[in-house]
Each structure stands twice: as C-alpha cells, then as structure tokens.
C-alpha cells in the first residue's frame, strides 16, 4: 500500500478535462513538501510532468497543471488527447519515513 | 544530451547478491543527487534509495534498508547499487535517475532500466 493514495483509474473523452488526486498526510504533502508528477507511457521510462507542485518543465504542454490543498495534490489535464493515455504517478517526501514516496499510480484512459 | 545507462540486472537466486551500475553522461555528475527507483512487473514505481552529490546524505526505503547499499564514484560518473540477501519481492526493473534540483527530490532524467529477477 502506497504512502500517497491515487485513484487506480480515471477516464475522459477527447477534449475533456480530467483530474487525478494524490492524497498524503501531515508528514508528507501536508508538511509542505514539493509534489511532483510523472507520466509513464507503456514500456517507457517515466517522464517528469510537473515539479515543485505547480511548475512545468520545458516542453510540457500547458494543458497539464498541478495544485495542492492541505494534505492533497492534484494533476489536471485539459483538452484531453489520445496521446495522454498513460499511467500517472505523484511523488513527494515523507518525514516520518525519511524518504521519497510515490503514489500507487493512476491509469488514464482516453475514451 | 543526458544519458543514464544501467547494467548488471540478471536472474539470481534468493539470498544471493548483485551489483547494479549506472553510467552517466551529458551533465556534471558531481553537481547532482542520484536515485534508484524500481518497478515490479505490472506494478507502480517504488523509490529505493538516493545519494547526495557528495555521498553525505543517503536515505533508503524501509523495504531495502540493511540489505542494499547505494554509492557513487564521481571520478567515473557512475552510480551503483549493491543488493544483498535478495528476495523474490526485489524482482523489478531498476531505474537509475537524476535529481532535478538539490533537495526537492524531483527526477528529471531516467535511464531505461535494468531487470533484476530473483527466483530459484
């Protein structure tokens, strides 16, 4: 069981907006540690999508955005495209574990 | 261009040891912390360990603490993972990963992974 909790799956039609939640605790996201998001296409290494909770690396479309509220964080994807179909992971730090933690991952299906 | 190339993954019996290596290029290796992250077949990402630029900070996941040792050789631009007392649950694709910014734990570059299979 992962320290950060994500829904196993989400889906949406092309053009729609979807959000993926990432729920932590007072020793992780609630403490203010940065949250990062990764996209993993089948058979590929993960790709950094959002860092520092809200920042996009160069080359990542502005359709992807991140936010935080309390002990949770969210990844929003607008204007859904077929190429967005992938697994998405959140990541943060947990002070009670003294280490990096990942969410269990969310599979996004574009209908 | 940043490149991370892992090696050393093989089929190994439970209880045995294995050493993974990661050759880094395309960036100033000793400026960045590095990590090992693993992914069991069909499962999610699991952080294994990290090491600061000067090897001064070395955290481990509880699942590997006392069995795995991370190290780096800045002169050789290389990262290592010594894995002892291997268990079936250590079976996974092991990724070498570069930290993006000091202390924020984000990973901006990943290798393609090396597969470790622990089975008798």
């Amino acid at each position: 069981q992962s320290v950060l909790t994500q829904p196993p799956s989400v889906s949406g039609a092309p053009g729609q907006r979807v959000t993926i939640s990432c729920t932590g605790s007072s020793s992780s996201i609630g403490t203010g540690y940065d949250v990062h998001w990764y996209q993993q296409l089948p058979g590929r290494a993960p790709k950094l999508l959002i860092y520092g909770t809200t920042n996009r690396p160069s080359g990542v479309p502005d359709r992807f955005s991140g936010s935080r509220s309390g002990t949770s964080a969210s990844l929003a994807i607008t204007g859904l495209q077929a190429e967005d179909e992938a697994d998405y992971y959140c990541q943060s730090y947990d002070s009670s574990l003294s280490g990096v933690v990942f969410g269990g991952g969310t599979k996004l299906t574009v209908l | 261009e940043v490149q991370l190339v892992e090696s050393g993954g093989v089929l190994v019996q439970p209880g045995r040891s294995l050493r993974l290596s990661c050759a880094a290029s395309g960036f100033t290796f000793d400026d960045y912390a590095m990590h090992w992250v693993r992914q069991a077949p069909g499962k999610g990402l699991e952080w294994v360990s990290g090491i600061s630029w000067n090897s001064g900070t070395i955290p481990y996941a509880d699942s590997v603490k006392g069995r795995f040792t991370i190290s780096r050789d800045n002169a050789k631009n290389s990262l290592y993972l010594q894995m002892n007392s291997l268990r079936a649950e250590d079976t996974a694709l092991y990724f070498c990963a570069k930290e993006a910014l000091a202390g924020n734990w984000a990973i901006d570059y990943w290798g393609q992974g090396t597969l470790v299979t622990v089975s008798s």
Side-chain angles (χ1 to χ4, degrees):
Chain A
Q1 190 166 351
S2 302
V3 174
L4 303 180
T5 302
Q6 299 180 232
S9 64
V10 298
S11 63
Q16 284 190 331
R17 178 181 186 270
V18 296
T19 61
I20 299 173
S21 62
C22 174
T23 302
S25 67
S26 57
S27 60
S28 59
I29 298 175
T31 300
Y33 289 115
D34 282 336
V35 180
H36 318 296
W37 291 91
Y38 302 88
Q39 176 193 62
Q40 187 177 32
L41 299 171
R44 303 289 298 274
K47 169 190 171 183
L48 182 62
L49 210 55
I50 298 286
Y51 69 95
T53 308
T54 60
N55 304 295
R56 284 186 309 277
S58 174
V60 173
D62 59 6
R63 301 187 297 107
F64 296 90
S65 63
S67 63
R68 178 217 304 267
S69 177
T71 59
S72 295
S74 293
L75 172 71
I77 310 172
T78 59
L80 209 55
Q81 300 179 3
E83 66 202 48
D84 298 332
E85 191 160 286
D87 293 324
Y88 292 83
Y89 295 90
C90 61
Q91 177 213 343
S92 187
Y93 181 85
D94 191 294
S95 57
S96 67
L97 298 174
S98 297
V100 173
V101 289
F102 281 97
T106 298
K107 182 175 182 58
L108 169 63
T109 300
V110 180
L111 301 171
Chain B
E1 178 193 5
V2 172
Q3 286 197 322
L4 300 170
V5 180
E6 304 93 337
S7 61
V10 293
L11 169 63
V12 61
Q13 292 180 328
R16 303 296 290 264
S17 298
L18 196 61
R19 190 195 198 204
L20 304 183
S21 299
C22 170
S25 61
F27 65 101
T28 304
F29 184 70
D30 54 12
D31 276 352
Y32 294 93
M34 299 292 293
H35 298 265
W36 287 100
V37 178
R38 68 185 181 184
Q39 186 168 34
K43 302 297 184 182
L45 301 173
E46 180 187 16
W47 174 79
V48 174
S49 182
I51 185 167
S52 60
W53 68 275
N54 63 352
S55 304
T57 301
I58 302 180
Y60 293 94
D62 286 347
S63 58
V64 307
K65 202 171 293 183
R67 300 188 299 123
F68 290 12
T69 302
I70 191 173
S71 62
R72 66 189 295 162
D73 186 335
N74 288 343
K76 294 183 178 180
N77 289 349
S78 293
L79 178 71
Y80 307 100
L81 185 67
Q82 178 66 41
M83 310 164 68
N84 298 333
S85 303
L86 282 162
R87 306 167 180 167
E89 53 265 37
D90 295 320
T91 294
L93 186 65
Y94 283 73
F95 293 103
C96 168
K98 170 188 167 293
E99 190 167 298
L101 297 169
N104 82 340
W105 311 96
I107 293 171
D108 59 352
Y109 288 95
W110 302 69
Q112 287 306 301
T114 187
L115 182 61
V116 173
T117 304
V118 183
S119 175
S120 55

